[in-house]
Amino acid sequence: MKNVPAGLLALLCATCSTLALAAEADPAPDGAPPTLSDIIVIGVTPLPGANVPLDKVPAAATTLSADDLARIHSVSILDGMAQRVPGLALSDTQGNALFQDIHYHGFTVSPLQGTPQGIAVYQNGVRLNEAFGDTVNWDLAPEVAINRLTLATNNPAYGLNALGGAVTLEMKNGFTVQGGSAELLGGSNGRAQGSAEFGWQSGNFGLYMAAEATRDDGWRKQSASDVERFYADAGWRSDSAEVHLVAAAARSSLGVVGPTPLEMIQADETSIYTWPQTTRNDSGMLALNGKADLAPGWSLQGNVYGRHLGQKHVDGNDGNFEGCSRRSSYGGKLCLEDDPFGTPAGGKTTAFRNQFVITDLAGHTFAYNNNANYGTLDRTATDTTSVGGSLQLTSDRPLMGLGNRFAAGGSIDHSDIRFTATSTLGVINPDFSVTSQGDAANDIAGAGLIIRTLGNLGYAPVWLSGTTDYYGAYVTDTLDLTPALSLTAGLRLNVADISTRDRSGAAPELNGDHRYTHWNPQAGLTYQLGGGFSVYGGYSQSNRAPTPLELDCADPLRPCLLENSLVADPPLHQVVANTYEAGVRGTQGVAGGRLDWTVGLFRTDSDNDIVALASSIQGRGYYTNVPSTRRQGVDAGLTFASERWQVYLNYSFVDATYQFDGVLASAHNPSADDNGTVTVHSGDRMPGVPRHQVKLGGDVLVTQEWTVGAAVQYYGSQYLVGDDANQNAPLTPYWTMNLRTSYQILPDIQVFGGINNLFDRRYASYGTYFELSGASDVLGRQLSDARTLTLGAPRTFYGGVKVSF
């Protein structure tokens, strides 16, 4: 961290001094100091109920409480995870705080269709990974209703996609929350945010309700967001049973404007390139979950659910078109740039691979306007309805006189998918908007034309239906061989049936039926060294089946819009990951508080990893398997908590590399060869993953009413997406610092505020490459740098009030 300024170091030192003074202050008379008897318990299966003390779990795990998430007053749960979880980094791929990727140990979980996913996510046992692309829409997660968030690794019981781990969201209910609160917040860039929750219990009945709403104009152009979320839980319980009926609904409208060419950013940091880029989500869920005691030490848990997601995406893109008159005899017609045949987009139909026809709904072709820059308005609509259920038997009865924690269960998840995609010819206007309306000055006659491919260009309209059926069965057991030594062993079977059908009648290559099956074992040991120290080591295997999106976009000769059209269906292999972990951790009483620390090593070797590669056509790409990848490193974390203050320090080293020699497509990479490919060698770093992370922060109770907190994050360099051979300069390392404070003006009224990115650091958390010539034509000047970046938000402020009742 040699680039950290002296002012920041001085501030950190001052913060440490304040913490030390606070530690020496008299304890609060009504405080509840942490004690060593507060054992951290981790759920080890998707359904709640199978709980094991952390010091008996042969893997790493991090938990965040509702207070941990609430104190930073973020627009989503992502910021809390990024600040506190070792080994986890955010990538703002689309320029929107609600639409970011999570990278954990080199694996990704993202809301962006087209991103290969490697983390499983559950909410009270209901799988949140969407069936079409395994995406997770973090903007729809009801943050105020989360009671505890856990990220656990090295455990195949979490089923498909748990290559790098699993996130579980344990939600609040009327038995865990009584009373209510409401919060209003305002801040920079038109940010307005409100939330309210209420919990009530009367005898055996409990009710919990929560609602949230956020409006943010965004700091970049065309990046506004609107989100509304609602969550409710009605519960009943007795001494031996408990049942909850849960309802959730959410909608969002997100301006996801994506990365911008570097030379545009240098002129205006708020600039964007081609828009609109919007995503609209509507979701609803109804679930019934419960548990019952069958006999002393034995219990049964289960759930059934129904979920629906409607998602619509509009994306304005450079269409890579030019007038045929520049290179051929087809004057006044429209051709693809770099078409070696110079064949027109309108008029004649031939068998040339790169030819396409522009026609209106009546079948008329249209001429090229030589003064216009042409693009496409690409639209997709995904409608997914999912139903499923899980059943789990657990026991904590001794086995042969030894302490034992047993769980066995199964799950079924069925989804029906309807997907449509169209591309409409448009004009790129001086403000870089893409329109297909007749009011565009340089539009062509007959605006709103549908582009229909005669070749393999990825512009064809798509009408697809599909189903996914995921079956799982697992067993896991933790047996105390001695009071100090515990053995964990488990096994899970995953079966995935995926079927897709072309509904247009014009693309039979989209029809396919696939089955993927895999047995995933787990084994590990923990040993209590005494004095609060323990060591652990474990091995597990996990797998991921290709999604319908990936299966229907896997041919390099038939690339597709990674967020949009599907054009081909060659087979993809499932990903199989082998994970090894070892570490030491401890808990001690220090200076009247509690010190928790951990140091862990991890390695995950994946066979047939799925990666997304760029096509030579701007905005197009495809998926492919690569032979082998490796993600390895170390996590180290320290947390100290007392009545008056809390501080944490985390460091992670994540080394994500390819483990093969071969050629990968990267058409817009300036170091690519004439075929648009780069040569990857074993040991080359996988793009988009920072190697080093440092996270430091804490909160100080300065007085009984006044709290001050800070969070510092540092991320090392990462290669741009598309630089798989590591031939170009990586993104610059960066750090940011956030400050926050709150004051309890009355017992039930709190005011708060904060500053994010205090030192207004300018940085990029995501970068890739784009096609230079097309952008140069649109901008009207020659560009020389193929990098396109998404900058982090500048300094922002917020403030608000919270009322409890």
Side-chain angles (χ1 to χ4, degrees), residues 80-101:
M81 297 172 69
Q83 289 186 18
R84 296 298 303 273
V85 178
L88 186 147
L90 298 183
S91 177
D92 195 0
T93 307
Q94 295 294 296
N96 189 300
L98 289 158
F99 205 85
Q100 299 185 81
D101 296 351

Side-chain angles (χ1 to χ4, degrees), residues 173-175 200-208 233-246 288-293:
N173 59 57
F175 303 121
W200 168 83
Q201 180 180 356
S202 177
N204 292 344
F205 296 91
L207 177 67
Y208 175 81
D233 181 304
W236 173 88
R237 70 179 180 184
S238 67
D239 291 339
S240 59
E242 186 168 343
V243 179
H244 293 266
L245 178 64
V246 175
L288 182 68
N289 59 68
K291 63 180 181 180
D293 295 334

Side-chain angles (χ1 to χ4, degrees), residues 125 136 142 160 178 180 205 220 244 278 318 337 351 377 389 433 450 525 636 640 676 680 723 773:
V136 175
L160 289 170
Q178 282 86 50
F205 296 91
R220 299 172 70 201
H244 293 266
T278 60
D318 179 3
E337 291 180 3
L377 275 173
S433 64
I450 302 299
L525 292 168
F640 179 78
V680 173
D723 191 12
S773 61

Side-chain angles (χ1 to χ4, degrees), residues 414-446:
H414 170 82
S415 296
D416 288 303
I417 304 163
R418 296 293 183 270
F419 177 82
T420 61
T422 61
S423 289
T424 304
L425 182 68
V427 171
I428 303 176
N429 301 301
D431 63 352
F432 307 112
S433 64
V434 182
T435 60
S436 61
Q437 305 302 317
D439 58 0
N442 294 322
D443 206 353
I444 60 175

Side-chain angles (χ1 to χ4, degrees), residues 571-632:
L572 287 174
H573 302 291
Q574 63 182 332
V575 185
V576 177
N578 295 276
T579 297
Y580 310 84
E581 285 196 46
V584 57
R585 53 196 169 206
T587 298
Q588 285 82 37
V590 177
R594 171 174 172 153
L595 178 69
D596 293 286
W597 59 271
T598 181
V599 178
L601 304 174
F602 65 89
R603 170 183 283 186
T604 300
D605 293 322
S606 300
D607 297 325
N608 296 314
D609 216 342
I610 297 174
V611 298
L613 301 177
S615 164
S616 60
I617 303 174
Q618 180 68 21
R620 270 69 181 167
Y622 63 97
Y623 301 94
T624 190
N625 291 113
V626 296
S628 180
T629 60
R630 172 173 292 166
R631 297 159 174 90
Q632 62 183 354

Side-chain angles (χ1 to χ4, degrees), residues 370-399:
N370 198 47
N371 296 319
N373 286 310
Y374 285 97
T376 59
L377 275 173
D378 303 310
R379 295 179 174 88
T380 67
T382 307
D383 189 275
T384 305
T385 300
S386 302
V387 295
S390 301
L391 197 63
Q392 175 177 273
L393 179 68
T394 61
S395 173
D396 59 4
R397 288 182 60 85
L399 178 65

Side-chain angles (χ1 to χ4, degrees), residues 665-725:
S666 184
H668 306 306
N669 185 331
S671 298
D673 61 22
D674 292 340
N675 296 318
T677 64
V678 296
T679 301
V680 173
H681 299 286
S682 183
D684 285 344
R685 289 171 57 186
M686 300 177 70
V689 181
R691 263 190 169 176
H692 299 279
Q693 300 177 28
V694 180
K695 302 176 183 182
L696 169 66
D699 291 274
V700 182
L701 189 64
V702 181
T703 70
Q704 289 297 318
E705 297 81 20
W706 181 29
T707 301
V708 176
V712 178
Q713 298 177 70
Y714 168 87
Y715 295 99
S717 63
Q718 57 180 290
Y719 284 99
L720 277 69
V721 173
D723 191 12
D724 302 274

